[in-house]
Amino acid sequence: MLLMWITIFVLNGFVYMVRKRLLIIEMYVTSLFSIYLALFADSILGGMFKLYSYFEAGVDWIDFVGAVGIYPAINILFLAFFPAKKNLIIKGMYILGWTLFALCYEFVAAHYSTFFQYSGWRLIYSVPIYPILYMTLLYNFRFVDKLLGIKKTFFHLTPLEWYGSLFFILYMNLFIDAVLKGRYELYYYVVKDVHPFDFFYRLILLSVPLLIFLSRQANDPTLWRYLVWIAVLSVIQQCAAALDLFHTTNWNISLSIAQFALILLLSCLNLRLLRYMKRGTDL
């Protein structure tokens, strides 16, 4: 655990020193993408196939402390120093350098600390994955920059607001499921373990309704609409339960209402934060 805390403090110290190299909204939206991408990969490789874990098998709060403290910082530092105006060879060497850093860090975390635990994974498997992840971060950054330049709204939200809201909602739902479903086993979807349907449920039956809610609530926020959408999400969940797509162990409708009320509120706050950051770029 010591390695994790040292990593968090060192990386975020560097982020503080280079914070002016990127716009704050660029850092925020790309970090939402990076943390969801990393946790999505962890859910598949660590959760579904059980190839590795952090500290010990299963889900724990400390896993998310490491994820939030490390993944966004790596994303920001990688993008802040990327040699965008250099030739292809320099860019390739830059990505190679970050890949070697990641491989060395994984080796230390797996063999000289309890941070990273192999249970079928090997360091050699990570060799082709890290360059792909870094290039994904880079292309996502370029995509975010293009969205940032589009001022036109679509259904009351700009493209960047749609994009930032989507990945915030995806990450938030993944986090909530990991805690309530994975850690405390209060409910599950098709099966108790991680299943591909989990991702479908979060994307289609949770994220889409939440985005529709935000598009309606964006410019004309009302309490009645907020309450109606709590009911809508609760009905969707009950329909999923009737179709055997959602199962409860120590869960009830009151907890669902509280969960959806929190999710809707946090989604609205995230949209407000995106707009506040965006205004700073328009000055």
Side-chain angles (χ1 to χ4, degrees):
M1 191 174 296
L2 179 61
L3 177 64
M4 183 196 76
W5 288 113
I6 291 174
T7 305
I8 289 173
F9 283 116
V10 170
L11 290 180
N12 285 278
F14 284 132
V15 167
Y16 180 78
M17 289 188 287
V18 304
R19 65 192 186 279
K20 293 185 179 180
R21 285 176 171 262
L22 299 173
L23 297 173
I24 187 170
I25 194 167
E26 292 174 333
M27 290 190 286
Y28 181 68
V29 176
T30 58
S31 292
L32 287 176
F33 175 86
S34 70
I35 195 171
Y36 178 73
L37 177 66
L39 292 180
F40 177 81
D42 288 344
S43 297
I44 298 293
L45 300 175
M48 187 181 301
F49 296 106
K50 303 187 185 306
L51 295 175
Y52 60 79
S53 62
Y54 297 100
F55 298 107
E56 59 184 30
V59 180
D60 207 345
W61 289 97
I62 198 67
D63 300 351
F64 292 95
V65 174
V68 173
I70 294 175
Y71 294 141
I74 290 290
N75 166 73
I76 292 169
L77 292 173
F78 171 75
L79 295 175
F81 290 102
F82 185 79
K85 297 182 180 180
K86 301 295 183 179
N87 60 45
L88 191 60
I89 295 176
I90 298 298
K91 293 176 181 177
M93 294 296 292
Y94 181 79
I95 293 174
L96 177 62
W98 274 93
T99 298
L100 292 175
F101 165 77
L103 290 170
C104 291
Y105 185 85
E106 181 181 321
F107 178 82
V108 172
H111 293 88
Y112 297 99
S113 79
T114 59
F115 187 21
F116 196 68
Q117 304 290 321
Y118 289 152
S119 53
W121 191 258
R122 293 183 179 182
L123 185 64
I124 192 68
Y125 299 160
S126 297
V127 173
I129 289 179
Y130 284 124
I132 294 172
L133 289 177
Y134 285 124
M135 287 188 287
T136 303
L137 294 179
L138 177 61
Y139 282 111
N140 176 67
F141 174 70
R142 292 176 176 175
F143 183 62
V144 167
D145 258 3
K146 288 183 180 179
L147 295 182
L148 189 58
I150 302 175
K151 311 298 183 182
K152 185 178 179 181
T153 60
F154 302 88
F155 298 101
H156 310 292
L157 298 177
T158 66
L160 187 63
E161 290 169 351
W162 281 109
Y163 194 69
S165 295
L166 171 63
F167 280 100
F168 176 82
I169 290 168
L170 286 172
Y171 165 67
M172 176 177 57
N173 286 327
L174 179 58
F175 170 79
I176 290 173
D177 272 359
V179 174
L180 300 181
K181 173 179 174 286
R183 179 71 175 87
Y184 295 108
E185 300 180 349
L186 298 178
Y187 59 79
Y188 61 95
Y189 298 117
V190 176
V191 296
K192 289 187 176 182
D193 215 337
V194 180
H195 188 274
F197 181 78
D198 298 1
F199 303 98
F200 173 84
Y201 188 98
R202 283 190 289 264
L203 178 62
I204 304 301
L205 301 182
L206 285 177
S207 298
V208 170
L210 284 168
L211 289 171
I212 294 172
F213 163 76
L214 286 178
S215 72
R216 304 304 303 164
Q217 191 81 341
N219 296 328
D220 182 27
T222 60
L223 178 60
W224 72 264
R225 187 182 291 116
Y226 176 74
L227 297 175
V228 165
W229 278 90
I230 293 175
V232 168
L233 290 170
S234 299
V235 169
I236 291 173
Q237 187 181 80
Q238 293 305 306
C239 290
L243 295 171
D244 286 332
L245 301 177
F246 181 81
H247 305 269
T248 62
T249 51
N250 294 298
W251 193 256
N252 56 54
I253 188 64
S254 298
L255 293 174
S256 292
I257 291 172
Q259 176 189 0
F260 294 137
L262 178 62
I263 289 173
L264 289 168
L265 177 61
L266 291 177
S267 299
C268 289
L269 292 176
N270 174 71
L271 179 59
R272 285 180 174 269
L273 183 59
L274 285 169
R275 289 185 165 180
Y276 175 77
M277 292 177 179
K278 180 64 169 59
R279 282 199 297 270
T281 67
D282 293 336
L283 295 178

